[in-house]
Amino acid sequence: MHTISIPMIGTDTAWRDAARRLLAARVKPDDVLWDFDGQAPQLFESTADLPAPRRAVKVSKDFVELANVVVWHKDSQRFARLYALLWRLKDTPGLMADRADPDLAKLRQMEKAVRRCQHKMKAFVRFRDLRSEGPRRSFGAWFEPTHHTMEPTAQFFVRRFGDMDWMIVTPSVTAKFTNGKLTLHPGDTKPELPEDGAEDLWGTYFCNIFNPARVKISAMTSEMPKKYWKNMPETQFIPGLIADAEEKVRKMQDAAPTLPPERMAAIRDQLMHSAQPASWNMLDADLNGCTRCPLHAPATQVVKGSGPRDAALMIVGEQPGDHEDMQGLPFVGPAGQLFRGLAAQAGLDPDAAYITNAVKHFKFKPTAKRRLHVNPATSEVDHCAWWLRSEVALMKPKLIIAMGASAARATTGNGKDITRRRGTVEVGTDGLPVFLTVHPSHLLRLPDADRETAEAAFIADLKTATGHLLQSAPSIMHLTETTRAEGSDIAAE
Ligand code: URA
């Protein structure tokens, strides 16, 4: 019997190293006792006694990706489950594709739970200003993730908050980012954090973006589970907001604007003859004041593109939805979150791409309870494509990913037949390569039985797009390390 000790910090590398040694030494799963963070007594010999493999141990890429996520699950059996599957993979190479296999299905479930936990962590960590004296601002946060997700999510915070010092304390691991350097330490109990004036501001913002017409308590508590509430300042307002919701909806209905008259021909003429903005500043200013078509009137605000404007990749969706309209940012609602999750699984970091829409205002039909999304008409996509062309001209991306019919129409002039054209690159109206795929909201509408396959196909599309991008811009910065490594193999083939 071998006891394998896996530490709390560096769990993934320790697990990989141990699994390689065990597999190379042909140690059966039943002969391994897995200990995490010194919680089990050391009864038997440890891996140090197992020699390092002389030759590289080859393991399916799918398994490696799965294991890299599952190791952060809190289930004490995770390492044993992973090693048992790895052991079976030796003799059953097709196992990773077998959806009916119960061991694999369980691990996939665990993978999903860890990803969900990471997603919640990214959304729900709330920093408080520690008011440091030094040149860099300093922030602290306390968070209680369901799984051990501090370490694998730390790089997200590094990218997001690279210009300040911060620490996030969790019960198992503490991440500190000081002067541009990330370090990981043992976890702790909840620290004393100073009161933060910014929280009042954040509370006011939260109350303002709260849409009473959309309130669905079960959906809200599923998206923002109650266990996170105690560490989130804005949640104190939720009971009051819910209580007032009905009255507010009535007032919104009374005040709902009527759609202005159609005047598309005149607008098209006006658009076609105006000069495109010569800088991003001009584009921002013009777009903020865009009243060139009737869609602007009932919308809350224009939703501009977001993300680095010198990125190699531009991603184009259809039009902002209800959440995007309220927040002024593209792809932050349910379709956006689904897209971000699937992009991450494809090894594409959506935060490092420029994300925009074919149409810049939310088109909707007001109903008693909510604002229902309405597809933009082809004429509206054509008119608004003028803005997209201005963004493309200023940015000159190496690749555009067009998601769905409206994006395809805006970028290639043809919005038809997406099912046949998806997964391919066409030359866009601006002479740049356009990769076509379906819109992520299409996945949201599918019945559960079809959803998994459709998501896998969407991820495969994004991976193909990434391969194209790496061929045209090998040094791009927006891919995860894994994809960059895989992609360079694709490029070298
Ligand atoms: N769907 C889109 O196409 N764009 C968004 O910004 C959100 C959802």
Side-chain angles (χ1 to χ4, degrees), residues 191 411 420 448:
T411 50
R420 183 183 54 76
D448 281 355

Side-chain angles (χ1 to χ4, degrees), residues 4 6 31 55 67 71 126 171 190 196-197 215 347 377 442 449 453 468:
I4 308 296
I6 303 288
D31 294 337
R55 259 187 276 127
V71 288
R126 298 285 178 264
K190 185 175 180 178
D196 194 331
V215 65
H442 153 76
T453 318
H468 285 294

Side-chain angles (χ1 to χ4, degrees), residues 129-171:
D129 194 339
L130 300 178
R131 293 189 205 96
S132 74
E133 299 284 296
R136 281 165 72 88
R137 296 183 71 198
S138 180
F139 294 82
W142 162 247
F143 193 72
E144 293 165 89
T146 311
H147 301 286
H148 300 291
T149 40
M150 181 67 262
E151 183 171 346
T153 320
Q155 284 303 332
F156 166 84
F157 292 100
V158 168
R159 283 196 301 276
R160 268 288 158 88
F161 305 111
D163 58 344
M164 61 196 211
D165 291 345
W166 49 260
M167 71 165 179
I168 303 172
V169 185
T170 76

